Amino acid sequence: MATTTPLTPSDQRRKPPPLPADALWWALCAAAALGLAGCSSLGPHRVWGTAAGAGYLAAALLASRGRSPRTAGAVAVTGAVLLPLLWLLAVDRAQLEVRVVARSAGLLLAEGTPYLQRPVVPEDFNPYLPGMAVFGLPEAVAGPGPLTDPRLWMGAAFLGAFALALPAGSRSAPLRWIAACPLVALPLAVGGVDLPVAGLMCLGLALAGQGRAGAAGLALGAAAALKWTAWPAIPVALALLAAASRSAGRPADRGEGRRPADRAAARCGLVALLTAAALVLPAALREPGAFRAHVVDFPLGLTDAVSSAASPLPGHLLATHVPGGRTLALLLLGVSALLIALSLLLRPPATTAEAAARLALGLLLAIAFMPASRFGYLVHPLVLAVWAALRETPGHTLFLRVRKQVSR
């Protein structure tokens, strides 16, 4: 029968790079938060920036006086997440994405599709895949309220998935740090659809690295049903699983068919596709035209309504200021995707840390070249990069070697 044996690469014994948590780091976070409070035209962002800035400054003061990273981090989380979240829940203010998710859940229950039939203005569009409506179901069923707000469920999904993807016994400090990081703390407080996607991608890669192909497929399929940005994680996980056959260093036995790792990759891919299809296809097939308008045409800038995702990243600058720039941006997006795909074929990742780093690079390039993009999307590569660094924790299995044992 086939068994698995932990494979501990030599670099696993290195101490992982420490996450920044000194006074300088918290001071930089405070500068970013206060800068957003002064520059943003969005009320929830100004509330977050003011509260987070105060929390980060308090954390910097504590760190400068020699208090423990745990204490400073707890103060930072309180100021950057808990206080602005409670205030915004009390006054019923949130980022637009929260209202879009809540509306999509109501439409899903009433009409079987989370998409408006005739969207006109940008606020009418729902650029997310049908699975995202799940986070709005509590509000759609029980009515608006602090406990049914979609941002609570999205934040809980992210923190839960990220915690499960971390090595057991060393979760509190990384969770505290990632929650306090401005790119994560902001969407935790004001609402952000990218967080559950990032958390499920980390969980899927962690399960793939443990050789749990079916569970990895479920996690990645669920992420793929939320947003297009999760789809690149599936081929990365398949490459990670398939690399186990090369790591084993021996060909498949005659008459045995494919090697166990090859079967694991196929099983992961099949489960991921079936999970995503089960969550996406019913709504997509009910109104194909609306589905395409919302989740394909609108994000690519092919509708009359212009997406509010317009951060000055290369793709947006090309599409806005260069003749034919939209086509050029999409071409660069395709070329970067092709290069990442070739790297997976020619040099598949051998550890979960390598897989996360490869996925982070691919998403970073995609965010850079998308015609409609925003800085907030950088939460994907940030979370993946931090998680990749944490996966170097000594004593944690980064990969599994598949070995055949023949019973006599």
Side-chain angles (χ1 to χ4, degrees), residues 188-213:
L188 280 175
V190 305
V193 297
D194 295 295
L195 289 179
V197 179
L200 285 171
M201 286 194 293
C202 291
L203 180 58
L205 291 179
L207 293 170
Q210 296 167 9
R212 299 170 61 185

Side-chain angles (χ1 to χ4, degrees), residues 219-244:
L220 294 173
L226 301 180
K227 218 178 170 190
W228 289 120
T229 47
W231 283 83
I234 296 177
V236 173
L238 299 186
L240 176 62
L241 284 166

